[in-house]
Amino acid sequence: MIKKIFLLLFLLNTSFTYAQTIKTEILVIGGGAAGTAAAIQGARSKLKTMLVEPGPWLGGSMTAAGMCVVEGNRNLPSGIWGEFRRHVRDFYKNRLGYDTTINATLRFEPYTGAAILKKITDTVKNLTVKLNTPWTAIEKDGTGWQVTITLDHKNTTIKAKVVIDATETGDVAAKAGEAFVSGFDSAQDTGEELAPPSALPRIQDITWIALVKDFGKKADKTIIKPQGYDANEYACLKGKNITKMLDDGRLPNDKFMIKWAGCGNQYPTTVEDLKLANRDAFYAKARLHTLGLIYYLQTELGFKNLGLDDEFPTPDHLPFIPYIREAARTKGVLRMTLDDVYKPYDRPAKLYRTAIAVGDASPGQHYGEGTAPKTNYPPFMAYSIPLGSIVLKDMDNLLVTEKAMSVSHLVNASSMYPSVQMAVGQGAGATAAFCAFFKTTTKKLNVRVIQGELLDFKAYLLPFADIKQADPYFRSMQQVGATGLLKGVSKVNGNSAQLLFMPDSVVSTAEVEPFFKEIYTRAFLWFNKEKPGDKFTQGNLLSFISEITLTDPKTLQIGMQKAWKAQYKFTSDFDMNRPVTRREFAVLANKYLNPFARTVDLSGRMVN
């Protein structure tokens, strides 16, 4: 009998232990903009994926932090970010006054945004989402990782081939032992002309956003005076156009997002404040500061009709988390700097060739008056984010997103933006899927395979604002753009600059000759023999294709003439003497020469 009891206890213990270990191919920790997109992409790439989020909502900054007026990437509806935008517009399209313009600033109620993301994840096969699920530890497990989470009040072990740190502040990478840098980098360190001469340990302030609702002129929604309230902290708001400031944050259903700089709800922050040991106490002070702003708005500025909306089920009705703009950054395989934004084609490293995401968010500079140098950014370029910025140098199969990415301080001011991070997350999900599917590590990434997967799911590699996803040759132009065979052209518009493909302009010989000679040995012979003019013609392109593919010139010409409009749907007439357009060139070069198939390393260097 005793032996039977021991046997039963042993079997029960074995079953219990087994039940407490979960195996997955991809584990995403953090359900913010990047984490949600990463999990969706990993699962859509047909890899078993698990997402754990300590809080009750998906969306991070855009939802749980209340940053629900999103301007960045309005002209770049890349992949999952574009999908989310469409769902939000569809939800509100029948609301009177809601702007459904394709590139309008996106405005939504945080709860609605979180619900939309949850609905999307619920439809994705191979994806398990665990909300209200904190994690406590991470350690190496062969080439993968072992993570401890708290599930149903019990410690549970997750074994994953690849882990994506999608926390707002790089907590997972820090716990794993990764080294970080923070604050302003020096000009000597990054080579950035706009960086200060010496490094400065100053990061952007956080904002604890508030959502208020207009309850009508006669309503009095004045809150209890917050602890430690000091009206002098908000005195600079007197004399300002508060109605306009509120309108800038207008949301559907008579709600307003309050995210005011200066003496509003912006709150000074250090890297030490954001460390796990100090975070709760620091957050409590930041919350009180925002409550003080609301009290001041109601009592000193006469807006007692504005009350904190019950959107967030927190005791004070403020968002679950603050809007964090910056934390510490990892040391990745490479670091993206401002030169990769402003001069992507003139750098020794051609990082645009390794692009996994795009961004165009204007860089923020949120510091207290006189506490940090002001950076005079020229009109900010739309840019690509390189694969190497999410790959850790010394830790296999642990990818980083959000504010932990390997970028300079001056780049983080844009790349941290939620819509940009949703694009980054999709790139991270495709990268993790590559490692898991091919049973390899982040030291053996194939850039082109990862980029091809992203293009399959309608993601942008290059931020060409004039090439829409519905264009039947969107992929061709993206792929040719990612090789550098045809380079984008910047167009300044106020404080920003778009990158355009200009598909209807003609191709010059000077722009394609260097690339052709770089990767095709026979190109030297061809250019010496043909001596094309300043404008590259249709005939030049067919002749070059014939040279490289060893196709009979006459056969190629006859076939192309038949297919020109019938198959390729080109609008111009077939004319061997006419300069070829960038669209025509991209389509035909991509098909017959396939420059995108050329392998590149993480620095963008062509590998033979």
Side-chain angles (χ1 to χ4, degrees):
M1 175 63 73
I2 293 177
K3 288 183 178 180
K4 289 182 178 180
I5 293 174
F6 275 123
L7 178 61
L8 180 61
L9 289 173
F10 173 77
L11 292 173
L12 286 172
N13 184 61
T14 301
S15 299
F16 178 80
T17 303
Y18 178 77
Q20 295 299 99
T21 299
I22 299 173
K23 290 185 178 181
T24 188
E25 291 168 303
I26 300 171
L27 174 63
V28 181
I29 303 178
T36 304
I40 291 170
Q41 182 58 55
R44 284 178 175 171
S45 292
K46 300 181 180 179
L47 276 301
K48 185 178 180 182
T49 303
M50 186 172 185
L51 168 61
V52 295
E53 161 56 39
W57 289 5
L58 295 176
S61 292
M62 293 194 302
T63 59
M67 224 299 283
C68 52
V69 177
V70 185
E71 296 181 354
N73 283 22
R74 286 182 295 162
N75 297 303
L76 303 170
S78 179
I80 294 168
W81 158 243
E83 180 181 351
F84 174 69
R85 277 183 63 90
R86 289 192 298 274
H87 280 294
V88 171
R89 285 203 311 270
D90 288 346
F91 182 85
Y92 288 113
K93 66 183 179 182
N94 294 324
R95 304 293 174 95
L96 183 64
Y98 190 81
D99 190 349
T100 57
T101 307
I102 192 72
N103 63 342
T105 296
L106 194 66
R107 299 170 186 268
F108 54 93
E109 295 155 287
Y111 178 84
T112 299
I116 286 172
L117 290 173
K118 184 62 169 63
K119 186 174 181 179
I120 294 173
T121 60
D122 286 345
T123 65
V124 178
K125 295 180 180 179
N126 307 308
L127 176 58
T128 301
V129 175
K130 296 291 184 182
L131 299 176
N132 299 303
T133 305
W135 67 280
T136 55
I138 180 170
E139 61 183 42
K140 208 74 179 80
D141 180 33
T143 58
W145 294 89
Q146 181 172 292
V147 177
T148 304
I149 66 172
T150 303
L151 189 61
D152 299 327
H153 307 290
K154 298 175 183 176
N155 284 342
T156 300
T157 298
I158 309 292
K159 289 181 176 287
K161 294 179 180 178
V162 188
V163 171
I164 299 175
D165 181 350
T167 61
E168 296 277 340
T169 51
D171 295 343
V172 178
K175 182 78 79 171
E178 173 65 13
F180 284 78
V181 296
S182 61
F184 283 79
D185 310 286
S186 70
Q188 182 178 3
D189 184 23
T190 64
E192 296 169 316
E193 292 181 9
L194 299 182
S198 301
L200 296 172
R202 183 71 170 92
I203 66 172
Q204 290 201 64
D205 298 347
I206 68 167
T207 298
W208 212 295
I209 291 171
L211 257 71
V212 296
K213 183 174 182 177
D214 186 351
F215 287 89
K217 292 182 179 180
K218 296 182 179 180
D220 185 350
K221 292 293 181 177
T222 305
I223 63 174
I224 298 172
K225 182 190 290 187
Q227 178 184 350
Y229 171 74
D230 181 358
N232 293 323
E233 293 184 358
Y234 316 99
C236 79
L237 293 174
K238 284 190 174 179
K240 292 194 175 182
N241 189 339
I242 301 299
T243 300
K244 182 183 182 305
M245 292 170 66
L246 286 167
D247 199 55
D248 288 342
R250 181 177 292 276
L251 305 174
N253 296 320
D254 299 317
K255 298 177 185 178
F256 304 89
M257 180 192 78
I258 295 181
K259 182 174 71 71
W260 294 348
C263 66
N265 44 344
Q266 185 175 305
Y267 200 71
T269 313
T270 68
V271 171
E272 289 297 315
D273 292 331
L274 296 178
K275 288 185 176 179
L276 280 170
N278 308 324
R279 197 174 293 169
D280 288 346
F282 173 67
Y283 282 1
K285 295 176 184 177
R287 294 182 84 104
L288 284 173
H289 183 72
T290 294
L291 290 172
L293 169 63
I294 300 304
Y295 186 75
Y296 186 87
L297 180 67
Q298 295 169 329
T299 59
E300 296 287 337
L301 300 180
F303 288 87
K304 64 181 181 180
N305 57 305
L306 296 180
L308 284 165
D309 187 58
D310 59 1
E311 179 105 3
F312 299 99
T314 54
D316 56 12
H317 296 303
L318 291 182
F320 298 106
I321 59 175
Y323 179 41
I324 300 173
R325 299 177 175 89
E326 186 175 6
R329 305 180 301 280
T330 56
K331 297 179 179 179
V333 169
L334 54 85
R335 174 170 52 185
M336 181 182 175
T337 68
L338 277 185
D339 283 348
D340 297 308
V341 175
Y342 287 110
K343 300 185 290 186
Y345 301 116
D346 302 327
R347 304 264 287 144
K350 308 298 183 185
L351 299 189
Y352 68 89
R353 288 177 173 171
T354 73
I356 57 163
V358 293
D360 70 359
S362 297
Q365 299 186 68
H366 296 82
Y367 311 98
E369 188 68 30
T371 63
K374 181 174 176 57
T375 305
N376 295 313
Y377 291 94
F380 204 71
M381 283 286 301
Y383 56 89
S384 295
I385 293 176
L387 174 57
S389 65
I390 68 168
V391 180
L392 296 179
K393 185 176 181 180
D394 300 317
M395 290 189 182
D396 286 347
N397 289 8
L398 177 58
L399 302 171
V400 292
T401 63
E402 295 286 349
K403 293 80 187 176
M405 283 172 52
S406 182
V407 298
S408 71
H409 164 85
L410 296 178
V411 170
N412 174 79
S414 171
S415 66
M416 51 66 64
Y417 204 78
S419 52
V420 179
Q421 279 301 313
M422 189 163 274
V424 171
Q426 185 169 7
T431 306
F434 173 86
C435 293
F437 181 81
F438 290 103
K439 296 180 173 58
T440 188
T441 73
T442 45
K443 281 189 169 57
K444 299 178 180 179
L445 298 175
N446 186 310
V447 175
R448 295 306 191 210
V449 171
I450 293 167
Q451 290 176 323
E453 183 76 353
L454 289 167
L455 288 170
D456 285 346
F457 289 93
K458 306 298 182 184
Y460 283 61
L461 303 180
L462 279 293
F464 296 139
D466 56 344
I467 304 298
K468 307 305 179 187
Q469 289 171 319
D471 192 304
Y473 294 114
F474 172 84
R475 186 184 186 110
S476 295
M477 288 179 275
Q478 284 284 321
Q479 290 186 167
V480 167
T483 67
L485 175 52
L486 292 180
K487 298 177 174 63
V489 179
S490 62
K491 180 184 178 182
V492 175
N493 182 18
N495 294 325
S496 63
Q498 293 180 322
L499 190 70
L500 305 178
F501 188 77
M502 301 184 68
D504 297 323
S505 63
V506 299
V507 176
S508 70
T509 298
E511 66 181 314
V512 298
E513 183 175 355
F515 182 89
F516 278 158
K517 287 182 175 180
E518 178 186 1
I519 66 172
Y520 301 113
T521 56
R522 298 174 64 87
F524 289 90
L525 298 173
W526 185 87
F527 277 97
N528 287 334
K529 180 179 64 175
E530 296 295 328
K531 294 181 173 54
D534 292 341
K535 302 300 182 185
F536 213 70
T537 65
Q538 293 178 14
N540 292 149
L541 179 57
L542 294 191
S543 174
F544 188 80
I545 291 172
S546 173
E547 178 77 17
I548 300 303
T549 63
L550 303 179
T551 305
D552 176 66
K554 194 64 178 178
T555 302
L556 181 63
Q557 180 181 340
I558 293 171
M560 190 65 66
Q561 188 168 6
K562 290 179 179 178
W564 193 258
K565 290 188 175 181
Q567 178 181 339
Y568 296 114
K569 309 297 182 184
F570 293 144
T571 56
S572 65
D573 292 331
F574 180 79
D575 181 351
M576 294 281 281
N577 296 315
R578 187 179 63 79
V580 66
T581 67
R582 287 164 68 91
R583 172 188 291 276
E584 295 161 354
F585 185 96
V587 171
L588 299 178
N590 196 57
K591 178 175 181 179
Y592 290 97
L593 301 175
N594 195 15
F596 189 73
R598 288 298 180 106
T599 302
V600 295
D601 62 19
L602 290 184
S603 71
R605 182 177 59 88
M606 294 282 183
V607 179
N608 293 325

